[in-house]
Amino acid sequence: MTLVQMRYFYEVCQWQNITKAAEHLHVSQPTVTVAMQALEAETGLNLFHREGRKITVTTDGAKLLGKVSYILTEVARLDDEIRDMAHRHAKVRIAMPLQLGVVFLPHILGDFRREHPEIDLEIIETGGVSALQMVEEEKLDFALTNYTVDFSARLTYAKLFDCECTFVTRTDHPFAERHSLSITDLRDEPLIMLDSNFFVDRLVQDAYGRAGEKPNVVHYSPYLHTVKNLVHAGIGSTFLARPSVLPTDNFVQIPLIDPIFINSGLVTKKGRQTFDDVRLVMNYLRGLTKELLGGGKKTPHGDR
């Protein structure tokens, strides 16, 4: 017995008239008649007493109607729950590392939220490594983050731009007037670094390793503001993704002679369905990236 047969049977029982049931179902009368004949043949039950155009439900038919009514009620409840879940999906969960958040958050929490008040944005500010882990565990819809494509084969990476990592220090630092630096120049430089939850740490470690050096890290922190405060205090310098340093920070950013670039873009779980509201947010971020980059492929706010 199919759901269609159940619905036809239910309506015939309610109206006790094939024609009226067909009109209510918006189908032809012969369609309902054939369906009821097929239902009786499949079940082996006499479901109706027929007297001309008038029909009445038999005892077996009444018993079947009770079971069919319960099933149709549950199906209707399931449909309602699915619609509720689809409506609740207007909450979009995003991860965004601190270094990119300083550029993108004002736009997405400002212009985008004003244009789309129906979408509830939940934005997690965390490091790129943690962001990708959360996407992989399906705790998030997607991440706008720095990444390396070898992090996980279970993720899909959509690159938006190359994000340069630069040496960042105070304006009174001896290197402040330099246009570029080598790892050898920075062999003994005390560093305040974002911790291993951020891909910048991996890239810096790799860069020093290729030069046969080891970075002189005096402190790791998971907080961008702590790193900046310690640099301001003269405890050391740091390496940061270019977008994370704002003009108001009053820092000097100096690229390396052998520059460090990291992929930045949108990361989703492979095979996970992308709903319309999630796609809307992702497309907004793609367009915003093009606007900030001015059609280029380098870091937003990449003035040197």
Side-chain angles (χ1 to χ4, degrees), residues 156-204:
T156 298
Y157 308 90
K159 184 176 178 179
L160 296 182
F161 56 90
D162 290 309
C163 192
E164 184 180 15
C165 299
T166 62
F167 177 73
V168 179
T169 193
R170 304 173 313 283
T171 56
D172 61 350
H173 191 282
F175 289 147
E177 299 301 320
R178 296 280 294 271
H179 294 291
S180 63
L181 293 165
S182 68
I183 293 297
T184 303
D185 293 329
L186 301 171
R187 177 192 299 120
D188 300 319
E189 179 69 23
L191 297 175
I192 313 298
M193 294 292 296
L194 289 168
D195 65 24
S196 59
N197 280 318
F198 297 82
F199 283 105
V200 65
D201 176 58
R202 297 187 181 190
L203 294 176
V204 169

Side-chain angles (χ1 to χ4, degrees), residues 217-291:
V217 180
V218 298
H219 184 71
Y220 282 103
S221 175
Y223 304 111
L224 180 60
H225 66 271
T226 298
V227 171
K228 289 183 176 182
N229 286 341
L230 291 175
V231 173
H232 273 300
I235 305 302
S237 301
T238 189
F239 284 90
L240 293 173
R242 186 174 285 278
S244 62
V245 179
L246 303 176
T248 53
D249 290 328
N250 197 31
F251 284 141
V252 175
Q253 287 185 277
I254 307 171
L256 293 179
I257 294 173
D258 294 320
I260 301 175
F261 286 100
I262 187 170
N263 302 316
S264 297
L266 303 173
V267 183
T268 56
K269 176 69 177 291
K270 191 173 291 184
R272 177 184 172 92
Q273 183 176 357
T274 302
F275 292 95
D276 289 343
D277 45 6
V278 175
R279 190 176 294 110
L280 180 65
V281 180
M282 294 174 70
N283 287 338
Y284 172 81
L285 290 171
R286 288 189 181 96
L288 180 60
T289 299
K290 290 180 181 179
E291 178 184 332

Side-chain angles (χ1 to χ4, degrees), residues 30-295:
T31 299
V32 178
T33 298
V34 171
M36 293 303 94
Q37 291 171 347
L39 183 58
E40 287 185 312
E42 290 174 15
T43 61
L45 300 173
N46 291 317
L47 301 175
F48 306 103
H49 293 300
R50 294 172 175 83
E51 298 178 9
R53 292 187 177 182
K54 183 179 181 180
I55 61 175
T56 56
V57 183
T58 65
T59 301
D60 287 342
K63 290 180 180 178
L64 181 61
L65 177 61
K67 297 183 182 296
V68 166
S69 296
Y70 173 78
I71 293 172
L72 292 178
T73 298
E74 290 300 304
V75 170
R77 182 178 292 118
L78 176 60
D79 287 341
D80 289 340
E81 290 177 357
I82 290 172
R83 281 192 292 270
D84 287 344
M85 286 189 286
H87 179 71
R88 286 198 302 272
H89 199 77
K91 183 172 186 175
V92 178
R93 299 164 299 167
I94 311 169
M96 193 177 297
L98 310 175
Q99 297 182 90
L100 295 181
V102 294
V103 172
F104 288 93
L105 276 178
H107 296 277
I108 196 167
L109 293 178
D111 295 339
F112 181 84
R113 178 165 279 174
R114 283 190 293 271
E115 293 172 11
H116 299 281
E118 76 282 3
I119 296 180
D120 182 12
L121 293 171
E122 179 181 345
I123 301 177
I124 310 299
E125 296 182 76
T126 186
V129 175
S130 296
L132 297 191
Q133 289 172 341
M134 294 175 74
V135 172
E136 189 172 20
E137 294 167 3
E138 300 193 46
K139 295 178 179 178
L140 301 168
D141 293 299
F142 72 93
L144 171 64
T145 184
N146 300 322
Y147 65 87
T148 57
V149 294
D150 60 352
F151 182 84
S152 172
R154 297 198 294 171
L155 298 174
T156 298
Y157 308 90
K159 184 176 178 179
L160 296 182
F161 56 90
D162 290 309
C163 192
E164 184 180 15
C165 299
T166 62
F167 177 73
V168 179
T169 193
R170 304 173 313 283
T171 56
D172 61 350
H173 191 282
F175 289 147
E177 299 301 320
R178 296 280 294 271
H179 294 291
S180 63
L181 293 165
S182 68
I183 293 297
T184 303
D185 293 329
L186 301 171
R187 177 192 299 120
D188 300 319
E189 179 69 23
L191 297 175
I192 313 298
M193 294 292 296
L194 289 168
D195 65 24
S196 59
N197 280 318
F198 297 82
F199 283 105
V200 65
D201 176 58
R202 297 187 181 190
L203 294 176
V204 169
Q205 295 285 351
D206 290 344
Y208 273 76
R210 289 192 297 271
E213 305 289 350
K214 183 178 180 180
N216 178 26
V217 180
V218 298
H219 184 71
Y220 282 103
S221 175
Y223 304 111
L224 180 60
H225 66 271
T226 298
V227 171
K228 289 183 176 182
N229 286 341
L230 291 175
V231 173
H232 273 300
I235 305 302
S237 301
T238 189
F239 284 90
L240 293 173
R242 186 174 285 278
S244 62
V245 179
L246 303 176
T248 53
D249 290 328
N250 197 31
F251 284 141
V252 175
Q253 287 185 277
I254 307 171
L256 293 179
I257 294 173
D258 294 320
I260 301 175
F261 286 100
I262 187 170
N263 302 316
S264 297
L266 303 173
V267 183
T268 56
K269 176 69 177 291
K270 191 173 291 184
R272 177 184 172 92
Q273 183 176 357
T274 302
F275 292 95
D276 289 343
D277 45 6
V278 175
R279 190 176 294 110
L280 180 65
V281 180
M282 294 174 70
N283 287 338
Y284 172 81
L285 290 171
R286 288 189 181 96
L288 180 60
T289 299
K290 290 180 181 179
E291 178 184 332
L292 295 176
L293 291 174

